[in-house]
Amino acid sequence: RRINKERVMKLTQSSRGKWLVIGLPYFWLLVMLLLPFLFLGQVSLSEMESGGGFLKIYRHDGWFFKNNFAPIWDDIINGGTYRTAYLSSLYYAALTAFWCLIIGYPFAYFMARAPKELQPTLLLFVMLPFWISMLIRVYAIKVLFNDSGFLVTSISGLLQGFGLINEPLHVLGTPFSMMFGMVYVYIPFMILPLYSTLSKMDPRYWEASADLGATPIKTFFLITVPLSKAGIIAGLMLVFIPCVGEYVIPQLLGGADILMIGRVLADEYFQNANWPLASALAITIILLVIIPMMILNKYEEKAGEFK
């Protein structure tokens, strides 16, 4: 009986620990993700109050729903400002994810193939930018690309000396400066999942490929890249999703003609003070990101079933 009682106590403690481990992350998601999203949905279905703020969905005379999504969809279909901002955001986010992959993959590959004792140091160098505020780093790039800065004036003088340009070079406030800042800020999010995948890859695959007569380039494209597909997809998602709604970098490094949805959303909130419409825009952004992710995950599940 004593042994059975001890077993029951151990099972009870194990069950409590299991529910604690599972329950804490779900509680965190409930408080930090689901509840704010429900509040956002409530605001998106309300209307503006004359004195400022928004009216509640449920009032003394019953339920009221204000459709703030209709003008957004009409604008997207008819090719208005919102459609331009959405397409621009998706374009620059995809371009940033592409360049992060092109630049970050060789870094991650080199880190994974480096000696084991050197890998923690290389990983530390990749994570060092996280120790500095993103806003400070973006302002540093702004100073670097300033028209009166040393870098721009030197390159401009060199190009003018060779007769390649007639006017001083202007870099800040262009798509190039914005893309440079976005790639610089988000490239660690690409390198880390790629390194995690490549470092776990069995080196015997490369040895077998070399024994069969494959060149290093052929081995890379036929063995390494397909086996690192999970890291590539994770890196692309980690870069693409936050870039769609990015506000700080386009605001500081992009020009006035670069219209992204983050800037439109901020204008609706703070300049136009239209909280319901801005909340509807935010929910539309979330749907535009979540739906492709769900389709991609479904495709990955079906592809895994046939392996």
Side-chain angles (χ1 to χ4, degrees):
R1 289 181 181 180
R2 186 176 180 180
I3 295 175
N4 291 335
K5 190 175 181 179
E6 291 178 355
R7 288 179 179 177
V8 171
M9 291 179 62
K10 288 181 180 179
L11 289 174
T12 305
Q13 292 175 356
S14 177
S15 178
R16 289 176 181 175
K18 179 180 178 181
W19 282 109
L20 184 64
V21 171
I22 297 175
L24 285 177
Y26 276 98
F27 177 76
W28 177 263
L29 291 175
L30 174 66
V31 174
M32 303 301 294
L33 183 63
L34 184 58
L35 292 181
F37 182 77
L38 292 177
F39 176 74
L40 193 69
Q42 175 193 354
V43 178
S44 68
L45 297 175
S46 62
E47 64 176 344
M48 287 298 299
E49 196 174 8
S50 58
F54 61 94
L55 296 172
K56 302 296 183 181
I57 296 178
Y58 183 80
R59 305 169 195 170
H60 64 278
D61 54 349
W63 291 94
F64 176 82
F65 295 94
K66 177 69 174 179
N67 190 359
N68 296 297
F69 293 91
I72 297 176
W73 291 113
D74 291 340
D75 185 278
I76 292 175
I77 293 173
N78 297 323
T81 303
Y82 297 144
R83 178 179 175 179
T84 303
Y86 278 126
L87 292 178
S88 177
S89 300
L90 293 174
Y91 168 74
Y92 284 113
L95 198 60
T96 302
F98 170 77
W99 283 113
C100 284
L101 177 63
I102 296 299
I103 299 172
Y105 200 103
F107 276 91
Y109 182 80
F110 172 76
M111 290 169 58
R113 298 295 299 269
K116 293 293 183 181
E117 61 274 8
L118 188 60
Q119 290 184 14
T121 304
L122 297 175
L123 189 61
L124 178 64
F125 287 149
V126 175
M127 298 179 66
L128 272 177
F130 290 114
W131 297 3
I132 305 173
S133 172
M134 186 191 76
L135 193 60
I136 296 176
R137 287 182 282 152
V138 174
Y139 269 109
I141 297 174
K142 188 174 182 178
V143 173
L144 183 68
F145 286 154
N146 196 293
D147 292 345
S148 58
F150 173 76
L151 180 64
V152 175
T153 54
S154 300
I155 297 176
S156 181
L158 186 63
L159 294 177
Q160 285 179 329
F162 283 104
L164 298 177
I165 58 174
N166 298 322
E167 298 180 356
L169 195 63
H170 177 71
V171 179
L172 188 63
T174 63
F176 173 79
S177 63
M178 189 190 73
M179 286 298 305
F180 183 92
M182 293 181 71
V183 171
Y184 169 73
V185 169
Y186 286 103
I187 196 168
F189 294 96
M190 177 66 72
I191 295 177
L192 292 177
L194 283 173
Y195 166 74
S196 177
T197 303
L198 291 170
S199 61
K200 297 175 183 177
M201 196 175 297
D202 194 340
R204 288 178 296 181
Y205 287 114
W206 300 320
E207 296 174 0
S209 178
D211 292 339
L212 293 173
T215 61
I217 296 178
K218 196 172 182 180
T219 301
F220 176 77
F221 284 105
L222 295 181
I223 304 297
T224 306
V225 173
L227 291 178
S228 61
K229 184 175 67 174
I232 293 174
I233 294 174
L236 290 175
M237 290 294 104
L238 287 174
V239 173
F240 178 81
I241 292 173
C243 283
V244 171
E246 181 60 50
Y247 170 74
V248 174
I249 300 175
Q251 185 73 13
L252 295 177
L253 300 179
D257 55 338
I258 301 176
L259 186 64
M260 296 186 69
I261 197 61
R263 181 181 297 181
V264 175
L265 187 63
D267 291 342
E268 291 292 347
Y269 263 115
F270 302 112
Q271 293 186 10
N272 300 334
N274 194 341
W275 288 23
L277 183 60
S279 300
L281 276 172
I283 290 178
T284 309
I285 296 173
I286 294 172
L287 293 177
L288 285 176
V289 173
I290 287 180
I291 291 175
M293 287 182 60
M294 293 175 62
I295 296 174
L296 180 63
N297 289 334
K298 194 68 176 177
Y299 171 78
E300 288 295 322
E301 289 178 2
K302 289 184 178 179
E305 292 176 357
F306 291 102
K307 288 183 179 180

